[in-house]
Amino acid sequence: MIFNQVIGQQEAKERLLQLVEEQRLPHALMLCGPMGSGKMALAMAFASYLLKRTSNDEAMLAKWEHPDLHFTYPTIKLSSMSSDHKPVSDDFAREWHELIMAGPYFTMNEWLEMMGGENQQAIITAGESDALTRKLSLKSSQGGYKVSLIWLPERMNIECANKILKLLEEPPQQTVFLLVCEEPEKLLETIRSRVQRMDIRRIADKDIREALISRRGLTEENAQRVARMANGSWLKALEMLSADSENELFLDMFQTLMRLAYKRDVKELKTWSERMAVLGREKQKRFLDYFLRLIRENFMYNFQNPDLCYMSEREEEFAKNFARFINEANIIPISELINKAIRDIGQNANAKIVFFDMALQMIVLLIQK
């Protein structure tokens, strides 16, 4: 992978290359930024750049099979594993290779699906830190850098974090650590103090727009709409392009709820809440996040300023008639209601009760003026 395959982020690319050119490359560099900003794409491109300096075998890098490149990532415990086994990255090497060969822009949900653990919490275990220590103790096979690329180090458990800290304090010879982090505040302070942090901003709208046109064949108008709604995230842009995007389902559920609440159809609202209850908690939380966004967008729609609106064509079509029901009197109570539902679902409350209560309260909130 080369830098021109990374979407936007020209300033970050130049900063990384400058570190090498000026011989100021730290032994540990942490790229921090929001999901979809291209942190992993930058880290993989930079790792490839470092290894190419002493390696003539570009085929290995093209397939991400270079012997001096070591990936570390969160894993899960499969039922087939023994009770005392601590999962390590090598346990899922085939799945990881398949994921990154498809491209450097992916989500934790996609990775969990690849591992077959959609309902589990993926972590980096102490077993991984032991395995990484053994790998990095070996000499570079090509005589240049060894690169340890750690995706989402904030998911290390405390035992693993302490062992990785030792590696960072006494790094093996010719080793560069590249950490790709979304929630740096969850890392040990001692780890944060041992790395040089580089903050990666959201991707500029124009860069997403240009990528949508050149890589996905969108028209200028459609690319502009998607880029604005993506809010700096290439992953969000791809999600909106997906024909089977769950946002289509979420919009249908949102429209149904609002129409039933407006008609005060309690019986059908109960049926709606039962449909929501079977979606699964992670999907329920994503729906509620979507709900919050659409409520805010409908409120902003009332200002009749297109630059303030970030909706798809279907969402905006619905907003033409619905937006007038979201106003100064109810925008805050509705937002508070949804945030309470998010908290309740996160605490394993009965989903049928949570969504039915939310639906009934929407009847009252929609008539506030």
Side-chain angles (χ1 to χ4, degrees), residues 227-257:
R228 289 180 67 251
M229 290 178 60
N231 194 26
S233 170
W234 179 246
L235 290 172
K236 184 68 174 176
L238 293 180
E239 178 187 306
M240 287 185 287
L241 294 183
S242 175
D244 60 350
S245 169
E246 67 181 9
N247 278 3
E248 293 295 307
L249 167 65
F250 289 167
L251 177 57
D252 290 338
M253 297 298 284
F254 178 86
Q255 291 175 334
T256 301
L257 171 61

mmCIF file of all heavy atoms in Angstrom, residues 227-257:
data_model
loop_
_atom_site.group_PDB
_atom_site.id
_atom_site.type_symbol
_atom_site.label_atom_id
_atom_site.label_comp_id
_atom_site.label_asym_id
_atom_site.label_seq_id
_atom_site.Cartn_x
_atom_site.Cartn_y
_atom_site.Cartn_z
ATOM 1 N N ALA A 227 -20.738 13.173 0.955
ATOM 2 C CA ALA A 227 -19.558 13.694 1.656
ATOM 3 C C ALA A 227 -19.965 14.560 2.836
ATOM 4 O O ALA A 227 -19.359 14.480 3.916
ATOM 5 C CB ALA A 227 -18.681 14.490 0.685
ATOM 6 N N ARG A 228 -20.978 15.380 2.664
ATOM 7 C CA ARG A 228 -21.418 16.249 3.757
ATOM 8 C C ARG A 228 -22.003 15.427 4.894
ATOM 9 O O ARG A 228 -21.751 15.677 6.065
ATOM 10 C CB ARG A 228 -22.451 17.255 3.258
ATOM 11 C CG ARG A 228 -21.841 18.338 2.355
ATOM 12 C CD ARG A 228 -22.880 19.335 1.874
ATOM 13 N NE ARG A 228 -23.407 20.131 2.960
ATOM 14 C CZ ARG A 228 -24.632 20.019 3.460
ATOM 15 N NH1 ARG A 228 -25.466 19.114 2.969
ATOM 16 N NH2 ARG A 228 -25.035 20.783 4.446
ATOM 17 N N MET A 229 -22.782 14.395 4.560
ATOM 18 C CA MET A 229 -23.390 13.550 5.589
ATOM 19 C C MET A 229 -22.366 12.668 6.290
ATOM 20 O O MET A 229 -22.544 12.302 7.451
ATOM 21 C CB MET A 229 -24.475 12.671 4.973
ATOM 22 C CG MET A 229 -25.717 13.427 4.531
ATOM 23 S SD MET A 229 -26.898 12.306 3.766
ATOM 24 C CE MET A 229 -27.205 11.168 5.110
ATOM 25 N N ALA A 230 -21.288 12.336 5.580
ATOM 26 C CA ALA A 230 -20.257 11.457 6.159
ATOM 27 C C ALA A 230 -19.512 12.125 7.296
ATOM 28 O O ALA A 230 -18.914 11.457 8.145
ATOM 29 C CB ALA A 230 -19.275 11.020 5.079
ATOM 30 N N ASN A 231 -19.519 13.448 7.319
ATOM 31 C CA ASN A 231 -18.906 14.203 8.417
ATOM 32 C C ASN A 231 -17.450 13.791 8.664
ATOM 33 O O ASN A 231 -17.024 13.562 9.790
ATOM 34 C CB ASN A 231 -19.727 14.032 9.707
ATOM 35 C CG ASN A 231 -19.350 15.047 10.776
ATOM 36 O OD1 ASN A 231 -18.876 16.132 10.470
ATOM 37 N ND2 ASN A 231 -19.552 14.693 12.032
ATOM 38 N N GLY A 232 -16.698 13.689 7.574
ATOM 39 C CA GLY A 232 -15.271 13.407 7.709
ATOM 40 C C GLY A 232 -14.901 11.953 7.856
ATOM 41 O O GLY A 232 -13.730 11.626 8.086
ATOM 42 N N SER A 233 -15.864 11.045 7.718
ATOM 43 C CA SER A 233 -15.589 9.612 7.892
ATOM 44 C C SER A 233 -15.805 8.866 6.580
ATOM 45 O O SER A 233 -16.917 8.823 6.062
ATOM 46 C CB SER A 233 -16.504 9.021 8.977
ATOM 47 O OG SER A 233 -16.418 7.605 8.989
ATOM 48 N N TRP A 234 -14.740 8.265 6.065
ATOM 49 C CA TRP A 234 -14.879 7.463 4.849
ATOM 50 C C TRP A 234 -15.731 6.228 5.119
ATOM 51 O O TRP A 234 -16.492 5.781 4.250
ATOM 52 C CB TRP A 234 -13.502 7.051 4.337
ATOM 53 C CG TRP A 234 -13.535 6.208 3.092
ATOM 54 C CD1 TRP A 234 -13.147 4.910 2.976
ATOM 55 C CD2 TRP A 234 -13.985 6.606 1.785
ATOM 56 N NE1 TRP A 234 -13.325 4.471 1.688
ATOM 57 C CE2 TRP A 234 -13.834 5.481 0.934
ATOM 58 C CE3 TRP A 234 -14.500 7.790 1.264
ATOM 59 C CZ2 TRP A 234 -14.179 5.523 -0.415
ATOM 60 C CZ3 TRP A 234 -14.852 7.818 -0.086
ATOM 61 C CH2 TRP A 234 -14.685 6.710 -0.904
ATOM 62 N N LEU A 235 -15.653 5.687 6.321
ATOM 63 C CA LEU A 235 -16.475 4.525 6.677
ATOM 64 C C LEU A 235 -17.955 4.875 6.634
ATOM 65 O O LEU A 235 -18.785 4.087 6.185
ATOM 66 C CB LEU A 235 -16.088 4.010 8.065
ATOM 67 C CG LEU A 235 -14.721 3.336 8.175
ATOM 68 C CD1 LEU A 235 -14.389 3.052 9.628
ATOM 69 C CD2 LEU A 235 -14.687 2.056 7.362
ATOM 70 N N LYS A 236 -18.286 6.071 7.125
ATOM 71 C CA LYS A 236 -19.676 6.511 7.090
ATOM 72 C C LYS A 236 -20.132 6.689 5.648
ATOM 73 O O LYS A 236 -21.262 6.334 5.294
ATOM 74 C CB LYS A 236 -19.811 7.829 7.862
ATOM 75 C CG LYS A 236 -21.249 8.335 7.972
ATOM 76 C CD LYS A 236 -22.082 7.438 8.850
ATOM 77 C CE LYS A 236 -23.470 8.016 9.066
ATOM 78 N NZ LYS A 236 -24.330 7.084 9.844
ATOM 79 N N ALA A 237 -19.248 7.224 4.812
ATOM 80 C CA ALA A 237 -19.587 7.398 3.395
ATOM 81 C C ALA A 237 -19.877 6.049 2.742
ATOM 82 O O ALA A 237 -20.851 5.896 1.999
ATOM 83 C CB ALA A 237 -18.449 8.115 2.671
ATOM 84 N N LEU A 238 -19.034 5.054 3.029
ATOM 85 C CA LEU A 238 -19.243 3.727 2.460
ATOM 86 C C LEU A 238 -20.533 3.101 2.971
ATOM 87 O O LEU A 238 -21.250 2.424 2.227
ATOM 88 C CB LEU A 238 -18.058 2.814 2.808
ATOM 89 C CG LEU A 238 -16.707 3.164 2.180
ATOM 90 C CD1 LEU A 238 -15.651 2.159 2.624
ATOM 91 C CD2 LEU A 238 -16.802 3.213 0.668
ATOM 92 N N GLU A 239 -20.822 3.337 4.232
ATOM 93 C CA GLU A 239 -22.046 2.802 4.833
ATOM 94 C C GLU A 239 -23.274 3.334 4.108
ATOM 95 O O GLU A 239 -24.237 2.604 3.844
ATOM 96 C CB GLU A 239 -22.101 3.184 6.314
ATOM 97 C CG GLU A 239 -23.358 2.734 7.031
ATOM 98 C CD GLU A 239 -23.424 3.281 8.447
ATOM 99 O OE1 GLU A 239 -22.460 3.076 9.203
ATOM 100 O OE2 GLU A 239 -24.435 3.931 8.772
ATOM 101 N N MET A 240 -23.235 4.613 3.762
ATOM 102 C CA MET A 240 -24.385 5.220 3.093
ATOM 103 C C MET A 240 -24.536 4.734 1.662
ATOM 104 O O MET A 240 -25.616 4.783 1.090
ATOM 105 C CB MET A 240 -24.264 6.739 3.136
ATOM 106 C CG MET A 240 -24.530 7.315 4.518
ATOM 107 S SD MET A 240 -24.539 9.105 4.527
ATOM 108 C CE MET A 240 -22.801 9.452 4.351
ATOM 109 N N LEU A 241 -23.448 4.248 1.065
ATOM 110 C CA LEU A 241 -23.511 3.725 -0.296
ATOM 111 C C LEU A 241 -24.019 2.296 -0.347
ATOM 112 O O LEU A 241 -24.469 1.827 -1.391
ATOM 113 C CB LEU A 241 -22.125 3.777 -0.944
ATOM 114 C CG LEU A 241 -21.528 5.158 -1.215
ATOM 115 C CD1 LEU A 241 -20.189 5.004 -1.914
ATOM 116 C CD2 LEU A 241 -22.457 6.016 -2.041
ATOM 117 N N SER A 242 -23.926 1.611 0.766
ATOM 118 C CA SER A 242 -24.293 0.198 0.802
ATOM 119 C C SER A 242 -25.788 0.021 0.547
ATOM 120 O O SER A 242 -26.634 0.618 1.197
ATOM 121 C CB SER A 242 -23.929 -0.401 2.172
ATOM 122 O OG SER A 242 -24.374 -1.733 2.258
ATOM 123 N N ALA A 243 -26.104 -0.806 -0.430
ATOM 124 C CA ALA A 243 -27.513 -0.996 -0.789
ATOM 125 C C ALA A 243 -28.310 -1.601 0.350
ATOM 126 O O ALA A 243 -29.509 -1.357 0.498
ATOM 127 C CB ALA A 243 -27.614 -1.890 -2.034
ATOM 128 N N ASP A 244 -27.651 -2.417 1.178
ATOM 129 C CA ASP A 244 -28.362 -3.061 2.278
ATOM 130 C C ASP A 244 -28.046 -2.380 3.608
ATOM 131 O O ASP A 244 -28.128 -2.982 4.673
ATOM 132 C CB ASP A 244 -28.020 -4.545 2.359
ATOM 133 C CG ASP A 244 -26.528 -4.785 2.576
ATOM 134 O OD1 ASP A 244 -25.760 -3.811 2.462
ATOM 135 O OD2 ASP A 244 -26.155 -5.931 2.861
ATOM 136 N N SER A 245 -27.700 -1.123 3.543
ATOM 137 C CA SER A 245 -27.350 -0.387 4.756
ATOM 138 C C SER A 245 -28.495 -0.461 5.759
ATOM 139 O O SER A 245 -29.663 -0.296 5.415
ATOM 140 C CB SER A 245 -27.047 1.075 4.423
ATOM 141 O OG SER A 245 -26.954 1.840 5.605
ATOM 142 N N GLU A 246 -28.132 -0.671 7.039
ATOM 143 C CA GLU A 246 -29.167 -0.738 8.059
ATOM 144 C C GLU A 246 -29.839 0.605 8.264
ATOM 145 O O GLU A 246 -30.912 0.670 8.870
ATOM 146 C CB GLU A 246 -28.586 -1.271 9.368
ATOM 147 C CG GLU A 246 -27.588 -0.359 10.047
ATOM 148 C CD GLU A 246 -27.033 -0.962 11.327
ATOM 149 O OE1 GLU A 246 -27.291 -2.162 11.594
ATOM 150 O OE2 GLU A 246 -26.327 -0.254 12.052
ATOM 151 N N ASN A 247 -29.247 1.683 7.735
ATOM 152 C CA ASN A 247 -29.893 2.989 7.839
ATOM 153 C C ASN A 247 -31.244 2.999 7.128
ATOM 154 O O ASN A 247 -32.153 3.749 7.518
ATOM 155 C CB ASN A 247 -28.996 4.086 7.249
ATOM 156 C CG ASN A 247 -27.946 4.544 8.235
ATOM 157 O OD1 ASN A 247 -27.839 4.017 9.335
ATOM 158 N ND2 ASN A 247 -27.150 5.514 7.842
ATOM 159 N N GLU A 248 -31.375 2.192 6.078
ATOM 160 C CA GLU A 248 -32.670 2.094 5.397
ATOM 161 C C GLU A 248 -33.708 1.502 6.343
ATOM 162 O O GLU A 248 -34.845 1.976 6.415
ATOM 163 C CB GLU A 248 -32.530 1.235 4.138
ATOM 164 C CG GLU A 248 -31.662 1.849 3.056
ATOM 165 C CD GLU A 248 -32.269 3.130 2.496
ATOM 166 O OE1 GLU A 248 -33.444 3.106 2.087
ATOM 167 O OE2 GLU A 248 -31.562 4.157 2.475
ATOM 168 N N LEU A 249 -33.313 0.447 7.061
ATOM 169 C CA LEU A 249 -34.209 -0.148 8.056
ATOM 170 C C LEU A 249 -34.515 0.855 9.153
ATOM 171 O O LEU A 249 -35.671 1.016 9.560
ATOM 172 C CB LEU A 249 -33.560 -1.394 8.657
ATOM 173 C CG LEU A 249 -34.227 -1.964 9.928
ATOM 174 C CD1 LEU A 249 -35.632 -2.475 9.605
ATOM 175 C CD2 LEU A 249 -33.374 -3.067 10.541
ATOM 176 N N PHE A 250 -33.472 1.556 9.627
ATOM 177 C CA PHE A 250 -33.667 2.511 10.713
ATOM 178 C C PHE A 250 -34.610 3.640 10.299
ATOM 179 O O PHE A 250 -35.442 4.084 11.102
ATOM 180 C CB PHE A 250 -32.322 3.096 11.148
ATOM 181 C CG PHE A 250 -31.431 2.122 11.876
ATOM 182 C CD1 PHE A 250 -30.087 2.421 12.100
ATOM 183 C CD2 PHE A 250 -31.917 0.915 12.341
ATOM 184 C CE1 PHE A 250 -29.265 1.533 12.783
ATOM 185 C CE2 PHE A 250 -31.106 0.011 13.020
ATOM 186 C CZ PHE A 250 -29.780 0.323 13.233
ATOM 187 N N LEU A 251 -34.494 4.111 9.047
ATOM 188 C CA LEU A 251 -35.391 5.171 8.596
ATOM 189 C C LEU A 251 -36.829 4.664 8.559
ATOM 190 O O LEU A 251 -37.761 5.381 8.967
ATOM 191 C CB LEU A 251 -34.968 5.668 7.209
ATOM 192 C CG LEU A 251 -35.867 6.746 6.586
ATOM 193 C CD1 LEU A 251 -35.982 7.964 7.498
ATOM 194 C CD2 LEU A 251 -35.352 7.147 5.210
ATOM 195 N N ASP A 252 -37.019 3.428 8.087
ATOM 196 C CA ASP A 252 -38.369 2.854 8.067
ATOM 197 C C ASP A 252 -38.943 2.769 9.483
ATOM 198 O O ASP A 252 -40.123 3.093 9.705
ATOM 199 C CB ASP A 252 -38.346 1.459 7.440
ATOM 200 C CG ASP A 252 -38.074 1.493 5.941
ATOM 201 O OD1 ASP A 252 -38.317 2.556 5.324
ATOM 202 O OD2 ASP A 252 -37.613 0.471 5.398
ATOM 203 N N MET A 253 -38.116 2.326 10.445
ATOM 204 C CA MET A 253 -38.576 2.206 11.832
ATOM 205 C C MET A 253 -38.871 3.579 12.431
ATOM 206 O O MET A 253 -39.840 3.749 13.186
ATOM 207 C CB MET A 253 -37.520 1.479 12.668
ATOM 208 C CG MET A 253 -37.240 0.052 12.247
ATOM 209 S SD MET A 253 -38.684 -1.034 12.384
ATOM 210 C CE MET A 253 -38.737 -1.309 14.155
ATOM 211 N N PHE A 254 -38.055 4.561 12.100
ATOM 212 C CA PHE A 254 -38.259 5.927 12.581
ATOM 213 C C PHE A 254 -39.571 6.492 12.035
ATOM 214 O O PHE A 254 -40.388 7.052 12.776
ATOM 215 C CB PHE A 254 -37.082 6.796 12.145
ATOM 216 C CG PHE A 254 -37.194 8.244 12.544
ATOM 217 C CD1 PHE A 254 -36.764 8.665 13.799
ATOM 218 C CD2 PHE A 254 -37.723 9.193 11.667
ATOM 219 C CE1 PHE A 254 -36.860 10.009 14.169
ATOM 220 C CE2 PHE A 254 -37.829 10.523 12.028
ATOM 221 C CZ PHE A 254 -37.393 10.935 13.273
ATOM 222 N N GLN A 255 -39.793 6.336 10.724
ATOM 223 C CA GLN A 255 -41.015 6.849 10.102
ATOM 224 C C GLN A 255 -42.245 6.172 10.695
ATOM 225 O O GLN A 255 -43.252 6.837 10.985
ATOM 226 C CB GLN A 255 -40.964 6.612 8.591
ATOM 227 C CG GLN A 255 -39.934 7.459 7.866
ATOM 228 C CD GLN A 255 -39.823 7.097 6.390
ATOM 229 O OE1 GLN A 255 -40.127 5.970 5.995
ATOM 230 N NE2 GLN A 255 -39.385 8.045 5.583
ATOM 231 N N THR A 256 -42.152 4.865 10.874
ATOM 232 C CA THR A 256 -43.288 4.128 11.432
ATOM 233 C C THR A 256 -43.622 4.620 12.838
ATOM 234 O O THR A 256 -44.794 4.860 13.170
ATOM 235 C CB THR A 256 -42.979 2.618 11.472
ATOM 236 O OG1 THR A 256 -42.716 2.164 10.151
ATOM 237 C CG2 THR A 256 -44.151 1.843 12.058
ATOM 238 N N LEU A 257 -42.604 4.780 13.666
ATOM 239 C CA LEU A 257 -42.824 5.261 15.029
ATOM 240 C C LEU A 257 -43.504 6.626 15.031
ATOM 241 O O LEU A 257 -44.474 6.858 15.765
ATOM 242 C CB LEU A 257 -41.495 5.332 15.784
ATOM 243 C CG LEU A 257 -41.547 6.016 17.161
ATOM 244 C CD1 LEU A 257 -42.499 5.271 18.098
ATOM 245 C CD2 LEU A 257 -40.154 6.114 17.767
#
